[in-house]
Structures are given as structure tokens and as C-alpha cells.
Amino acid sequence: MRDPYSILGVKRDAGSDEIKAAWRSKAKTIHPDQNRDDPDANARFAEIGQAYDLLKDPQKRGLYDQARRAADGKQREQTIMQKREAARAAAREAAERAKAAERLMEELARAQARNAKAASETEANAADPVNSASAKPESPEDMLERIFGAEAKVKGGADPIKSTAAEVSDEAPNQEKTDASNSLAIGFFNALIRRFRGAPPAIEKVPDMTAEAIVTVNDIIAQRHVTIRMPDERDVRLPLAAGTTDGHVVRLKGQGLKLPEAARGDLVVTVLVARDDDFIVKGYDIHTTLPLALADAVLGCESKVLTPRGEQPVTVPAWSGSDKAIRVEGKGLEKEDGTFGDLVVELRIVLLETPDAKVTDLMRHMREGLYL
């Protein structure tokens, strides 16, 4: 069920009179008799009734408020941890990039010095083609390959150093040195940009978010949809399909939190049956109790017990104590394979509201060993 406060349109600190007035107002507006053309009128009217039933009972309302505060606190804690982890990852990446940039600047300075020295040797040995070839300047791509390995070298495209050298071959030697040095820096940074653009970091998925959905046995049997309110004010609908029971975990793909530049995470919902329900769920069995008079427990009887599906006739064997239980097969919750759990009727012996003289006399005689 969605947040009952939002269903009735009241604040969380609303009093009982305000809640009752809001329920009456909405019930008149959404009543199926007033909305015959709306196929969802019955469902919305039932949802309003469920919200009012929860909030009008102080005990149920207190349990719900406590569970909601715990869930909100857990969600806030998860969000804070996720943001901290993202900030730490960004800081680590920035530090790594800064270190890489520092290394590259140092290598650039060394390369410029080496190329300047090679250019001087080339002028001095211009007549010797062998020495001239051995003093060939190092290109930016070769520099990146030497620093980062073979993967750093960018395939394709012209070498900016070679093209620049060809363009300035007819100019003065001093101008050639200056242009070569500038083109080295430009080519180096162009190669660096191509390197980083060619390997963009993979977008990671936001960690999963957990939530709890408190439902009733009737919700599970009817396989209704319950609505979960997210921290970002979204409403996520959870289907209670066959196989749902107390403690069942459902993963809703892509319904979790969203952070910038990351895929939305999943929402992992744990289904919990309300503890104040008239029935107790254990696995796929539904447990209920049947009060018995002392005479019926001793002599046995035919009786009826109230179940989520209506009244169920049961036969109480003679001499049945409170430690006995009657199991009705196939009347529990539906499993994933289409079979059903059982209805377990636990017997409880109760006395009459007012003392009965005959029963009291009989018990006294039995305890004291006097048999009639």
C-alpha cells in the first residue's frame, strides 16, 4: 500500500478528527457509485479504506510511523554513503590524472631538450647523412608509447612533427628550431587528448537500494499491487505475484537511485506481512486460532473458523488440547509452481466469561480424586 498519509492528503502529525474528515471527503468523491465509468474506482476506494483503517488505530499508526522512519533513515544513510564513495572515486581519478599530467610535463621538457640537442647535431653534421639520420627527433606518439606502452600510440593520421618539419624546411635554422619546438608541444598535447578521448571510462551502475513493503495476507492472496514511496518523491508499484510470502525479496530493475553519469540502480524490496494482522504467515502456510470451550475440546465438535477466503468448516477431534492444530490442505498462499500452502488452525481452550458452578465442582472433584 502507498503512504496512507499521502493517500488521504493529510500531514503526518494530523489528528484523528482531521484524518476521519479527510477519509469521509475522499470516500464521497471516489465512491464507485459516483464514478461508474472509472474502472479503477473500486481499487482506489479500497485503497482509501485501507489507509483509514491503518491511521485510525493508534497502535497500527505507531508501528507504521516507526517502520517508515527506520526505512527513511536507512535510505538516507545509503544515499550519503553512495555520494561519499562517488566523491572518493572522483578524487582518486583526479589525483591519478594530475600525476599523469606531471609525468607528461617532465617528459615533454626532457624531449624538448633532447630534440634541441639533436637539431644542433643535425646542423653540425649536415654533410653526414648517417649521423643526421641517427639524430632524428622523438615524435609525440613515440613519447607516449615510451611512457605508457604500445597502446598509447594512436594509429592513423599524419605525424604533426613530420608535417611541420616539411613545411619549415626552406626557412632559416633559428626559425626552424622555434617552429619544431612549438609543434612538438602542440603535437604532444594533441596525442594526449586523442589518448584520453579514445578510452572513455565505463559508466558504472549506482549501488542497489533496499526498501520494505508492509502488506496484509489479503493483499498477497488478491495479488494486489503495493506502492512504495521513494526518497526522490517517485512512486514505485510492486506486484505481489504468486510465490510472495513473508520475507520474500523482489528485485525491481532500474527502479533505484539515480546519480549523474551513472546507470540507475535496482530497488530490492523485502515484503513483510503486518504483525498486527489477524493471521500469521509461516512460509506459505496461514496460521489462525480457534477458541474452544472446555466441553468441545474434551468431546470434540464441528465448528467454523474465519480465514482470508471466508469461513472454513473444521472438525475438532475429541480430547483436543491447546497443543493441537488442525491442518486444512491447499488453503494457504499460492507458491510459484501453482500449488498452495495449508491453513493451520491452532486450538485455544477458553473458559466461560462467568464462573460455572457445575464445571467448578467437577474440576474440584477431579483434582481431589473424587469421581462421581
Side-chain angles (χ1 to χ4, degrees):
M1 184 180 71
R2 291 191 298 133
D3 181 19
Y5 294 99
S6 62
I7 293 175
L8 297 180
V10 297
K11 297 181 179 179
R12 297 192 179 278
D13 57 353
S16 57
D17 293 338
E18 183 180 353
I19 292 175
K20 186 174 182 180
W23 168 69
R24 286 182 174 178
S25 176
K26 286 189 173 290
K28 291 179 181 179
T29 305
I30 307 178
H31 197 281
D33 292 342
Q34 304 294 331
N35 300 271
R36 299 182 183 275
D37 297 333
D38 186 359
D40 297 330
N42 288 324
R44 291 191 291 127
F45 184 75
E47 186 180 46
I48 292 174
Q50 292 175 0
Y52 178 63
D53 288 341
L54 191 151
L55 296 182
K56 73 177 181 179
D57 187 327
Q59 184 179 3
K60 293 181 180 179
R61 182 179 179 182
L63 291 173
Y64 173 81
D65 291 342
Q66 182 179 0
R68 178 61 185 263
R69 286 192 296 269
D72 290 344
K74 190 174 183 180
Q75 291 172 356
R76 285 193 297 269
E77 182 180 354
Q78 288 178 343
T79 303
I80 292 173
M81 294 300 294
Q82 290 166 357
K83 289 183 178 180
R84 287 178 179 175
E85 182 61 28
R88 286 194 290 266
R92 288 194 298 268
E93 182 179 357
E96 292 175 359
R97 288 180 179 271
K99 291 181 180 178
E102 184 177 355
R103 290 171 53 198
L104 292 173
M105 292 300 295
E106 292 176 355
E107 289 295 335
L108 176 60
R110 296 191 188 99
Q112 288 177 332
R114 286 195 299 270
N115 289 342
K117 181 178 180 181
S120 299
E121 294 177 355
T122 301
E123 291 179 4
N125 303 300
D128 188 350
V130 176
N131 294 335
S132 177
S134 62
K136 180 181 178 182
E138 184 180 29
S139 70
E141 304 295 348
D142 294 335
M143 189 185 306
L144 286 177
E145 180 179 358
R146 177 169 51 80
I147 297 173
F148 295 104
E151 294 181 356
K153 190 168 184 178
V154 181
K155 296 182 180 181
D159 189 332
I161 299 301
K162 293 180 181 179
S163 60
T164 304
E167 293 175 359
V168 301
S169 59
D170 297 333
E171 297 185 6
N174 292 335
Q175 183 66 30
E176 182 178 357
K177 291 180 182 180
T178 303
D179 290 346
S181 178
N182 292 338
S183 62
L184 174 63
I186 295 173
F188 184 84
F189 284 108
N190 287 339
L192 180 62
I193 291 173
R194 288 196 298 270
R195 170 181 170 81
F196 284 118
R197 285 183 177 176
I203 298 178
E204 297 182 356
K205 175 185 172 184
V206 177
D208 296 337
M209 179 181 179
T210 60
E212 294 179 348
I214 301 177
V215 301
T216 64
V217 176
N218 289 324
D219 292 335
I220 299 178
I221 291 177
Q223 296 186 2
R224 298 191 180 104
H225 285 72
V226 296
T227 304
I228 302 172
R229 190 70 170 178
M230 302 294 291
D232 55 2
E233 302 301 322
R234 288 185 299 118
D235 286 335
V236 178
R237 290 173 62 83
L238 171 68
L240 301 178
T244 302
T245 184
D246 186 40
H248 186 68
V249 178
V250 181
R251 177 179 294 273
L252 301 178
K253 297 288 187 180
Q255 295 294 331
L257 293 177
K258 181 71 172 69
L259 294 179
E261 300 182 0
R264 187 184 292 274
D266 299 340
L267 176 62
V268 181
V269 183
T270 302
V271 179
L272 300 177
V273 177
R275 297 298 180 257
D276 55 350
D277 203 339
D278 295 331
F279 307 97
I280 298 176
V281 174
K282 295 182 181 179
Y284 292 97
D285 294 337
I286 300 176
H287 289 245
T288 187
T289 59
L290 175 63
L292 282 178
L294 180 60
D296 292 335
V298 173
L299 303 176
C301 67
E302 297 290 333
S303 183
K304 292 183 179 180
V305 62
L306 183 62
T307 75
R309 297 184 176 88
E311 289 187 343
Q312 173 69 37
V314 292
T315 300
V316 180
W319 207 257
S320 295
S322 294
D323 59 337
K324 301 292 185 181
I326 301 173
R327 183 176 292 270
V328 183
E329 296 183 356
K331 296 298 182 179
L333 299 179
E334 184 178 1
K335 303 178 183 179
E336 294 182 358
D337 58 2
T339 60
F340 288 82
D342 299 336
L343 173 69
V344 180
V345 182
E346 300 175 359
L347 305 179
R348 296 291 183 268
I349 299 177
V350 296
L351 300 177
L352 300 175
E353 294 182 0
T354 58
D356 184 277
K358 294 182 178 180
V359 174
T360 302
D361 187 58
L362 175 61
M363 294 298 105
R364 181 179 294 112
H365 282 76
M366 291 181 64
R367 186 177 64 183
E368 296 175 359
L370 301 176
Y371 299 97
L372 300 177

